[in-house]
Amino acid sequence: MLLAGIGGFIGTCFRFLTGKFCSLITDSPFPYGTLAVNLAGSFIIGILFGLAERSNIISPQMNILLITGFCGGFTTFSSLADDMFIMLQQHRFLSFWLYAAASFMLGLLLVWAGRSAAKLI
């Protein structure tokens, strides 16, 4: 539990910083920070699961720290769902569909890319 907590703390800090950075470089109501962490997290978890399945590079303890903790703290499905709800409330239907498609389709693609990259390591 301590390993998951440490990883979650680090992931949450990175999520916070990513959100702040995205706010600094964009002036848009579109939730770029949430999209960025969810897409990056999809790629990272793809790499980590790929490495865990391929070899003993990732121990069970590292799995808890990195996958459960870091990726769990870094990515944020609840924020994604809230962002989408707000878009629907504001009748921003195009943004809603673009965000949903980018989050789910690119997220899935990046998990595949991460697992494929792990095979090369």
Side-chain angles (χ1 to χ4, degrees):
M1 189 165 43
L2 184 59
L3 287 174
I6 291 168
F9 173 77
I10 295 167
T12 300
C13 291
F14 273 88
R15 180 175 75 214
F16 175 80
L17 293 173
T18 302
K20 289 295 181 189
F21 176 74
C22 288
S23 293
L24 287 174
I25 63 171
T26 65
D27 184 28
S28 170
F30 192 83
Y32 286 107
T34 304
L35 181 63
V37 297
N38 285 336
L39 294 179
S42 294
F43 185 66
I44 292 166
I45 206 166
I47 289 174
L48 295 173
F49 269 125
L51 290 173
E53 290 172 353
R54 183 170 166 258
S55 64
N56 293 332
I57 293 174
I58 296 183
S59 68
Q61 293 82 10
M62 289 301 287
N63 184 317
I64 293 168
L65 176 75
L66 297 174
I67 295 173
T68 303
F70 178 81
C71 289
F74 183 61
T75 61
T76 172
F77 186 79
S78 57
S79 292
L80 176 140
D82 186 62
D83 291 338
M84 292 174 65
F85 179 79
I86 290 168
M87 287 177 194
L88 286 175
Q89 274 190 320
Q90 296 173 346
H91 303 285
R92 295 172 41 222
F93 301 113
L94 180 60
S95 290
F96 171 85
W97 287 111
L98 289 172
Y99 187 46
S103 296
F104 294 113
M105 299 308 293
L106 290 175
L108 182 61
L109 179 66
L110 287 167
V111 167
W112 170 82
R115 285 177 173 254
S116 296
K119 290 179 183 176
L120 301 174
I121 297 172

